[in-house]
Amino acid sequence: MLPPSAAPSDCDYCGLPVAGGTAGDGPRYCCLGCRFAAGITAARGDDGEARWMMARLGLALFFTMNVMVFTMVLWSAPEADPAGSAAAARVFYDLARHACLLFSAPVVLLLGGPLLAEAADEVRRGRGGVGLLLMLGVGAALAISVRATWAGEGHVYFEVACTVLVAVTLGRWLEASGKLRTTEALRSLRSLLPDTVRRVDGAGETRVALASVALGDMLRVLPGEHVPTDARIVTGRAAIDERAVTGESEPVEKGQGDGLWSGSLDLDGELLVEVVAPPGAGTLERLIDAVTDAARRGSRRQRLAGTIAAWFLPLVVVVALGSLAFHWHRRGPAAGVLAGLAVVVVACPCALGLATPLVLWAAIGRAARRQILIRDGDALFRLARARTFCFDKTGTLTTGSRVEGVERAAAAARHGLADDAALVSLAAGLATGSTHVHARAVVDEARRRGCVPVALAEVRTFPGRGVEGRRGADAAPVRLGSGTWTGDAPADGPCAVSTLCVAGTVVGRLRFAETVRPEAAATAAALAARGARLVVLSGDRRGRVDEVAAALGMAGEARLLPEEKLARIEALRGDGGVVMIGDGINDAPALAAADVGVALGCGADVSRWSAAVCLLRDDLSDLPWLVDLAARSERTVRWNLLWAFAYNAALVPLAAAGQVHPALAAAAMLASSVLVVAGSLRLADDGGAAVEEAR
């Protein structure tokens, strides 16, 4: 009975009454099962397809486990009808066969459709592939099993068909999920561009859709807004954050006549800009297109598998038909059918199909326990053969800005700054109200020294220049910012410099340097010891790039736009496989285009989902560990493939000669798969542990 306060309403999935609330409160479900099913079937687009595939896979796994349970019972079945009390056991074994058939049917219905469609498509194209080979093997295993079940004698191999279908579907789902994540990341990247802009013309300022903007239009960009498309500043001045496009670690001061990239962020100034690239053709849009094109490229191992299937399948078909005809003619129809079926079952690429996926899953599981996300399994093998490792600098090899040195000028004492601590306190008083990366470094330095920021009045931020305020005692103006604004000489060298002046007199300078990750040096040394070539590819200034690269024993290339990073990766590929390690939006095309892209977990969404590998712990020392794991995985796959080919080369001729019964062929196929599974699981256990201990 419902509580007095509850009113019945219908479940939005099954239509049964639901206690509590009304239908107007939103979707209503009578149980968790209905909520789960509705979430699957109501989903639309790529996300809905991925969720529905996962649901089918989960149900198939449940039924497959039941098939395995009854198969274990059948392994102890007697070979002949026993007498006496054992006759009852025989009935039980027959029931177990039918139970296997019963639980296998949902697996075939849930997972067989996509594989059958793929095989049919290969037939229509006139070129056999892995899908057709798998369907032949699954069909042969099912045919043998159904016949044995209804005949009441012989072995059944329903578990073989179920395992192959589950393994193939899981691999396809992992691939589909990776593509879906990349698509979502690209959608979020496009959100950096506004839907509407402020267009300025003779009639004043109006809000218009970005798509309606044309070359030469004048747009107004306010502080905190992203630049909608490539443009040139007509009036105004501001500090521009270009990390999304160029990887520049510091905001860049820009004024009249300077160019702006689409997707860059106006930090502190109002700008009037002229459009120099139509919407859709800006720098950020080109970056998105580069990621999309790189993500569409096919896997080298997928092409290899298709090439092998192209000659292997016709050979199997010819041998099977030849065996059928020969033994039909010599020994009768039954013998011909058995011989042809034995060839098909023996040649089922179960071991061949499992050789690579099982190693991948074992390695992926081992890496996941170390919080390393491997999104593209084929990248693991490319990583094992890679000889060049390219690193982004900002955010990848470094972790931010810090005050490296404090220099007091001769005039400091005249303004009451007797030591470095007093100078830092005054600078921190100005920096407290700013969000600039250098301002945060000044505040951190004051906290580290135990200095209390000086209270200042009338603190103002000057876009692209610095911060100004007044000291309460003498009302003297105090400025902290660029040398050109404070009247100081431009600084040379790799370090950025902010000048502090009081009443127009320079009283000190603060030098900033980026903080190199503590594990970066050890990581570089470990990779170099493995014979790797190390290169820094950065959009930052030459001095900073050279300083970081020299400290880590790497070659350095500076001021590279995303397109230029792509060109450098292509040039370096001639020396072998190229691995790109980065974290920013500007690294996304290079991560996707490299043989292996490795992103840090702290990075932007598009970099994480464009890369094949993500180091979730933000620890570069995981990279050498992963390289070792990849090398061991490569060796394991080679052994698995060697065994799979040797198995087929040895047994296909015997099956064609009529020396292998289909049941024995199925058993050999299962034994081959078990051997491959065992070798792969060693990678996940002993092998993986050995790799981790060797770190």
Side-chain angles (χ1 to χ4, degrees):
M1 179 178 294
L2 297 176
S5 61
S9 61
D10 292 336
C11 172
D12 287 348
Y13 185 74
C14 69
L16 293 176
V18 180
T22 64
D25 296 333
R28 303 285 297 173
Y29 304 107
C30 63
C31 64
L32 182 61
C34 285
R35 183 179 299 275
F36 175 72
I40 293 171
T41 57
R44 295 292 184 267
D46 294 338
D47 186 51
E49 289 297 325
R51 291 163 65 186
W52 174 231
M53 182 180 291
M54 191 58 187
R56 294 203 315 266
L57 183 60
L59 291 171
L61 281 170
F62 167 76
F63 289 115
T64 299
M65 287 188 292
N66 283 274
V67 172
M68 296 299 296
V69 169
F70 285 104
T71 299
M72 293 174 65
V73 174
L74 290 173
W75 284 346
S76 62
E79 294 297 328
D81 286 336
S85 61
R90 184 65 184 181
V91 173
F92 179 74
Y93 294 136
D94 289 338
L95 289 176
R97 285 194 185 93
H98 284 83
C100 287
L101 173 61
L102 177 65
F103 284 110
S104 297
V107 178
V108 174
L109 293 175
L110 287 167
L111 305 183
L115 192 59
L116 180 61
E118 181 179 344
D121 182 62
E122 291 172 358
V123 171
R124 282 194 299 270
R125 289 187 286 107
R127 182 178 179 181
V130 174
L132 187 53
L133 280 172
L134 288 171
M135 277 307 305
L136 286 175
V138 170
L142 288 173
I144 292 174
S145 302
V146 171
R147 176 186 176 280
T149 299
W150 292 112
E153 60 181 4
H155 295 279
V156 294
Y157 300 98
F158 290 110
E159 79 282 359
V160 174
C162 293
T163 300
V164 170
L165 288 173
V166 168
V168 171
T169 304
L170 181 58
R172 304 292 167 81
W173 176 78
L174 290 173
E175 179 183 357
S177 297
K179 292 180 180 178
L180 176 61
R181 290 294 187 180
T182 299
T183 301
E184 291 174 343
L186 291 176
R187 290 171 184 165
S188 66
L189 180 58
R190 292 185 187 277
S191 67
L192 291 178
L193 300 179
D195 295 326
T196 61
V197 296
R198 299 178 180 83
R199 184 163 60 191
V200 179
D201 52 25
E205 180 179 310
T206 56
R207 275 276 187 180
V208 299
L210 175 60
S212 67
V213 172
L215 288 175
D217 282 355
M218 297 293 178
L219 307 178
R220 191 179 305 282
V221 180
L222 301 181
E225 294 182 347
H226 286 92
V227 178
T229 187
D230 288 1
R232 180 181 60 83
I233 298 177
V234 177
T235 60
R237 194 173 190 86
I240 305 297
D241 184 350
E242 296 183 335
R243 282 178 292 181
V245 182
T246 67
E248 172 69 46
S249 59
E250 308 289 348
V252 180
E253 179 183 346
K254 293 199 173 185
Q256 182 176 2
D258 292 332
L260 298 174
W261 310 113
S262 64
S264 55
L265 178 64
D266 181 353
L267 293 177
D268 55 9
E270 181 177 328
L271 302 175
L272 181 65
V273 303
E274 178 185 1
V275 174
V276 298
T283 301
L284 183 63
E285 294 92 324
R286 295 199 307 273
L287 185 152
I288 295 173
D289 291 340
V291 175
T292 303
D293 292 340
R296 287 173 179 167
R297 294 188 305 176
S299 165
R300 186 183 311 169
R301 287 190 175 263
Q302 288 175 341
R303 294 192 294 269
L304 177 60
T307 302
I308 293 175
W311 62 262
F312 186 62
L313 176 64
L315 178 62
V316 170
V317 172
V318 169
V319 173
L321 292 177
S323 299
L324 185 148
F326 177 79
H327 293 287
W328 187 312
H329 176 71
R330 296 288 299 272
R331 300 162 54 196
V337 171
L338 288 177
L341 188 57
V343 171
V344 173
V345 174
V346 164
C348 175
C350 294
L352 185 62
L354 293 174
T356 299
L358 280 179
V359 171
L360 291 179
W361 299 336
I364 288 171
R366 190 71 190 182
R369 289 194 289 272
R370 197 183 171 91
Q371 293 185 297
I372 300 175
L373 178 63
I374 301 176
R375 191 168 298 104
D376 177 6
D378 197 40
L380 197 65
F381 306 112
R382 296 195 297 267
L383 183 63
R385 298 188 295 270
R387 293 294 175 267
T388 303
F389 289 76
C390 300
F391 293 83
D392 172 56
K393 178 181 69 68
T394 305
T396 301
L397 295 174
T398 64
T399 57
S401 181
R402 73 179 192 281
V403 175
E404 186 181 58
V406 177
E407 174 188 339
R408 285 190 307 124
R414 297 199 305 269
H415 293 279
L417 304 176
D419 53 24
D420 290 351
L423 190 145
V424 171
S425 296
L426 181 59
L430 288 169
T432 301
S434 174
T435 60
H436 194 281
V437 62
H438 286 167
R440 293 195 298 270
V442 171
V443 173
D444 290 342
E445 178 68 12
R447 187 181 298 112
R448 187 185 68 81
R449 290 172 176 256
C451 301
V452 178
V454 174
L456 299 173
E458 300 180 20
V459 177
R460 294 186 299 163
T461 297
F462 288 80
R465 294 175 174 83
V467 187
E468 182 183 76
R470 292 183 180 276
R471 289 198 300 189
D474 52 10
V478 182
R479 283 185 173 184
L480 176 68
S482 65
T484 54
W485 182 54
T486 57
D488 195 15
D492 296 325
C495 294
V497 177
S498 288
T499 302
L500 181 67
C501 67
V502 178
T505 303
V506 175
V507 296
R509 301 175 184 86
L510 292 91
R511 297 186 179 273
F512 301 88
E514 291 179 294
T515 303
V516 177
R517 287 182 179 270
E519 75 276 11
T523 298
L527 293 175
R530 291 163 174 80
R533 177 184 180 186
L534 308 178
V535 182
V536 179
L537 301 180
S538 176
D540 212 340
R541 300 178 215 175
R542 166 60 62 184
R544 298 179 191 173
V545 174
D546 288 346
E547 181 184 33
V548 173
L552 299 176
M554 302 181 181
E557 299 190 31
R559 290 202 175 277
L560 298 177
L561 290 174
E563 296 94 333
E564 294 171 322
K565 287 186 179 181
L566 289 177
R568 291 302 304 140
I569 286 176
E570 291 298 328
L572 293 169
R573 187 171 279 127
D575 298 332
V578 177
V579 179
M580 178 67 195
I581 303 97
D583 74 311
I585 293 175
N586 62 296
D587 299 320
L591 290 170
D595 293 286
V596 182
V598 179
L600 298 184
C602 64
D605 284 346
V606 71
S607 69
R608 290 197 298 270
W609 296 120
S610 297
V613 178
C614 183
L615 307 181
L616 298 178
R617 300 194 307 171
D618 298 328
D619 189 346
L620 286 176
S621 63
D622 285 337
L623 189 58
W625 180 91
L626 185 61
V627 172
D628 289 340
L629 180 65
R632 189 176 181 90
S633 301
E634 174 79 3
R635 292 194 297 271
T636 304
V637 165
R638 288 179 180 175
W639 163 251
N640 285 350
L641 290 175
L642 176 62
W643 162 252
F645 280 115
Y647 154 79
N648 280 282
L651 287 189
V652 167
L654 290 176
Q659 301 300 311
V660 180
H661 189 275
L664 180 60
M669 177 181 63
L670 180 60
S672 174
S673 299
V674 168
L675 184 62
V676 168
V677 170
S680 302
L681 291 181
R682 282 198 301 271
L683 176 70
D685 297 328
D686 297 340
V691 172
E692 188 166 3
E693 290 169 1
R695 175 175 173 258

